[in-house]
Amino acid sequence: MQGLTFYALAYLAAAVFAVILSRRLGLGSVVGYIAAGVIVGPILHVSGAGSDYLEQFSEFGIVMMLFLIGLEIDPQMVWRLRGKLVGLGGLQVVMTLLAVGVVGTLLGFSWQQSALFGFVVSLSSTAIVLQTLEEKGLLESDGGRASFAVLLFQDLAVIPMLACIPLLSSVAGVASSAHGETFFATLPGWASALLTLGAVVFVVAAGHYLSRPVFRVIAQLGLREVFTAAALLLVVAIAALMSAVGLSPALGAFLAGVVLANSEFKHELQNDIEPFKGLLLGLFFMTIGAKIDLSILLQHWAIVIVATLAMMLIKVGVLLPLAWLFRLRAAAAWLFALGLAQAGEFGFVLLSLGRERSIFSEEMVSISILVITLGMVLTPGLFILFDRIVTLLDSRGATRDDDEPEEGTVIVAGLGRFGQIVNRMLLANGHKPVVLDFRAEVVDDLRKFGIRSFFGDAGRPDLLDSAGLAKADVIVVAIDDPDRAVEIVSYARRTNPNIKIVARAYDRLHYYRLSNAGADHIVRELFGSSLEAAVLTLRSLGMHPYEVEKRRNVFIEQDLAGLKRMAPLFDGVTPVSDNPDFIAGFNDIGKVIENAMLGNRTAYNDLVRRGWTPPVLDDSHALKAEQSRQ
């Protein structure tokens, strides 16, 4: 079997299985796509006469990615992160570029090659780092915020890097093989410069004054599929214009995205282009993998390993001092340095352009691709190393803040959206809890208002001990990391058996884990708000508020009774679908509510009528109610 069907089958099958396996191993989608390309190309030798056109087609994925990055540029966010964005991000890129440039020159590469190597190494993997930080609940930490700011700056820095590559090739005196060049390349220098400037001005003006009316007409006509076609037309037209004047298509797409970032069609454009971007970007990485020469890997495996380790050491050597310079604390500094120690997805783009411009040879590009890929594969190991370093620093007391928490009767662990409401309620009623949070800016802001707050990871036993856990009356575990919350509850129960523990649960399974760990009161983070929405819905449907309140309380009682009965059946190890005792118990409980949901509400109505009475007010409440009536 040959032809388009065969190639489509081979590429799609390799991509699906390789990406799934790569994500399950924690390596990210990019590594999976590259591995799929290796399977299709060097291993199975699936190639066709149209492979060059396939590569050119896949490069539209990069163009669309830059367009979407431009759409995401929020001036307010950029201004809010301006310190770390420009200072930390700019210094990281410049210092990495200089360090790699010096090393490359000493090793005998030309300064153009060394500069391009510096461009590649100064970037990090946005997809892998942000995904890992989010999975570990570290995105809102000091180290996570600093990493996000630097990654954003790196994405912006790609634009001038792409613009510099043609200059490097012209200075080196090599002929460009980039596709898309026309007779414009033969124009005098001043004419070429004016033409380039005119193209950029046209993109900005057309994005603002031409595209918006077109999109508005299409939206008014309700032509959804035409809107998608118009969005793709915009990106492809810009890419064609930029290629015609010798500029990077990605540069034009980025400018168009920035122009349309504040338009009313921003989100519609994102939703329409995102699927195409994902598929084409995956295809681009597959074409990168398909070009890897396994013979070069076998021949130069030692160089690949040494170069990868050298790259990571250089980046850590640049990032760690910068983290200290910008006053990131010990754990945050190591998270920042190790998390960004790999090279990024845009490195493949820069290498591809360097090969087209004859700055790099095929062998150099193949080795460099292997180095970037190996760095991505080692990234999960770097986060494991970070955990080990934090544990070591904890044991030595190096991560403890100089201003240690005072002992308090109430400890609030975590001051996010959940914890801050608890803290405000306690303060309003005369209590002054000790607040622990790992975000330094949150701690600093709270201290300006006179609230006792301290920087640190509430999961650290030494920090909890210094906060007075052994003598505290209550601890509120409000962090949004389920595993760490269970660890804190378990440690608090062992350290102070008499303490009351109020914990925030992510879902029912997390409720069972917290209950088994020793929590006294567990609040599911969305249960109350969801129940309130249901109550308002019943009232909107015409049910009397008194009747709604009765049914609300019966529902809560039945739900909590089921949770308390099921918690001992959850062992935390066996999946609930493989736990026969859990399944049997689940099928037993909540029959009244379950039957009511299925339409048989007789038992539920009986339970409501005889199983609920209005809440009893104490004397003070009764007196106030009587006075208000008078």
Side-chain angles (χ1 to χ4, degrees), residues 157 274 301 308 310 350 383 447 486 576:
E274 185 70 35
W301 62 269
T308 303
L350 297 175
F383 280 95
R447 290 195 169 198
V486 174
V576 292

Side-chain angles (χ1 to χ4, degrees), residues 434-573:
V434 175
V435 177
L436 306 176
D437 200 278
F438 59 69
R439 293 167 295 176
E441 68 276 9
V442 171
V443 173
D444 293 338
D445 290 343
L446 288 174
R447 290 195 169 198
K448 293 177 183 177
F449 290 94
I451 299 174
R452 292 192 303 168
S453 53
F454 302 90
F455 172 82
D457 180 4
R460 286 168 39 203
D462 61 330
L463 188 67
L464 290 171
D465 291 340
S466 60
L469 179 64
K471 298 180 180 179
D473 295 327
V474 182
I475 179 172
V476 181
V477 183
I479 64 175
D480 59 359
D481 185 335
D483 295 330
R484 298 289 277 178
V486 174
E487 293 174 5
I488 295 172
V489 170
S490 180
Y491 180 77
R493 178 57 65 211
R494 293 195 309 269
T495 304
N496 185 352
N498 297 321
I499 194 172
K500 294 294 183 181
I501 302 175
V502 180
R504 166 190 181 182
Y506 177 77
D507 55 16
R508 296 180 76 93
L509 294 182
H510 191 213
Y511 182 104
Y512 302 144
R513 295 175 61 195
L514 291 169
S515 177
N516 293 337
D520 296 292
H521 306 287
I522 305 170
V523 180
R524 283 168 286 169
E525 56 188 29
L526 296 180
F527 182 75
S529 56
S530 302
L531 196 61
E532 184 66 22
V535 166
L536 294 173
T537 303
L538 290 175
R539 289 183 179 179
S540 301
L541 291 172
M543 187 177 290
H544 192 278
Y546 180 79
E547 184 71 17
V548 172
E549 188 65 18
K550 288 196 299 180
R551 293 174 182 273
R552 171 184 178 275
N553 281 274
V554 170
F555 185 92
I556 293 175
E557 290 173 2
Q558 292 295 312
D559 188 78
L560 292 178
L563 283 173
K564 291 179 180 179
R565 179 175 174 183
M566 294 300 296
L569 302 177
F570 181 78
D571 59 15
V573 178

Side-chain angles (χ1 to χ4, degrees), residues 6-159:
F6 173 72
Y7 296 127
L9 175 63
Y11 273 84
L12 290 175
V16 169
F17 291 109
V19 171
I20 290 176
L21 180 61
S22 178
R23 290 295 297 270
R24 292 296 296 270
L25 295 176
L27 302 178
S29 300
V30 174
V31 175
Y33 281 120
I34 295 173
V38 174
I39 295 172
V40 171
I43 296 179
L44 299 180
H45 301 288
V46 176
S47 60
S51 59
D52 291 337
Y53 290 103
L54 183 65
E55 180 181 355
Q56 294 180 28
F57 184 68
S58 68
E59 289 177 2
F60 278 111
I62 301 298
V63 175
M64 291 181 180
M65 174 185 277
L66 267 296
F67 180 73
L68 291 176
I69 290 176
L71 283 176
E72 288 292 341
I73 298 301
D74 182 359
Q76 294 182 350
M77 178 186 66
V78 172
W79 179 254
R80 190 168 58 250
L81 296 174
R82 62 189 181 279
K84 290 179 180 178
L85 185 69
V86 178
L88 190 56
L91 285 175
Q92 180 269 322
V93 171
V94 171
M95 292 179 64
T96 305
L97 176 60
L98 292 175
V100 175
V102 170
V103 173
T105 303
L106 293 176
L107 292 176
F109 295 101
S110 67
W111 72 266
Q112 293 89 352
Q113 293 172 336
S114 300
L116 192 47
F117 278 134
F119 288 164
V120 172
V121 176
S122 64
L123 304 176
S124 302
S125 176
T126 302
I128 294 177
V129 174
L130 290 184
Q131 177 185 340
T132 306
L133 289 175
E134 189 170 0
E135 289 176 353
K136 291 182 173 290
L138 296 172
L139 192 56
E140 294 299 320
S141 66
D142 281 2
R145 287 178 177 269
S147 299
F148 175 79
V150 170
L151 288 170
L152 179 58
F153 183 87
Q154 290 175 357
D155 289 341
L156 299 176
V158 169
I159 304 303

